[in-house]
Amino acid sequence: MSVSKWSFPEELLYDTHYQWIKRVGNKVLFGLTPYGLDITGDVLYLVLPTVGTAVEGGGTCGSLEAGKWVGRVYAPVSGLVTKVNDMVTASPALISQLPYNCWFAEIELSRPAELDSLMSAAAVQAWLAEDMKENA
């Protein structure tokens, strides 16, 4: 399997939890990448933090149940949840159809320097290629 099977837009950042992150001023939106969907299967159920919740970068901030996997959703950065995408919590199947349009939540950054630890499109592709070799 080749990483080139999945798209990774250049304008986004990525984490090791197979999530994409989009910076919008002093806030970020985040969601699941197509690669993440491929390994989890169609999302059936999604629980996210409520507006006003403080989250810690890399810490658990929700849960996701999919066709092949049940697990946690991780906050890509630290901050305060300012919006939750009610559309995807009500209809998680939308994530499988439009993963880069179906953000989970918006977080106001409390530690902007944490963005430096996220990966570019090129870096995530290299990381995934190595990860896929190790787990083959």
Side-chain angles (χ1 to χ4, degrees):
M1 193 177 318
S2 169
V3 174
S4 62
K5 175 181 174 181
W6 302 281
S7 68
F8 296 94
E10 295 287 328
E11 68 275 10
L12 300 176
L13 297 169
Y14 302 88
D15 68 11
T16 58
H17 300 289
Y18 313 115
Q19 298 178 135
W20 58 264
I21 298 94
K22 179 179 182 179
R23 185 173 188 171
V24 183
N26 68 335
K27 298 177 182 178
V28 298
L29 299 172
F30 72 101
L32 193 61
T33 64
Y35 177 77
L37 282 166
D38 199 42
I39 61 173
T40 63
D42 290 340
V43 179
L44 307 171
Y45 187 68
L46 180 64
V47 175
L48 296 169
T50 57
V51 171
T53 301
V55 295
E56 194 68 30
T60 302
C61 71
S63 62
L64 182 145
E65 185 176 324
K68 302 184 231 176
W69 184 79
V70 174
R72 297 180 173 136
V73 173
Y74 295 90
V77 294
S78 300
L80 195 66
V81 175
T82 53
K83 288 184 188 172
V84 173
N85 190 344
D86 294 328
M87 186 175 67
V88 297
T89 55
S91 300
L94 292 172
I95 299 165
S96 299
Q97 297 166 15
L98 299 164
Y100 288 120
N101 293 339
C102 291
W103 53 274
F104 293 173
E106 177 184 76
I107 301 171
E108 185 172 2
L109 295 163
S110 62
R111 295 185 208 133
E114 288 179 336
L115 292 171
D116 296 339
S117 66
L118 299 173
M119 294 178 277
S120 67
V124 77
Q125 289 176 46
W127 175 78
L128 283 175
E130 196 58 37
D131 190 53
M132 290 165 67
K133 278 185 207 173
E134 289 175 11
N135 294 309

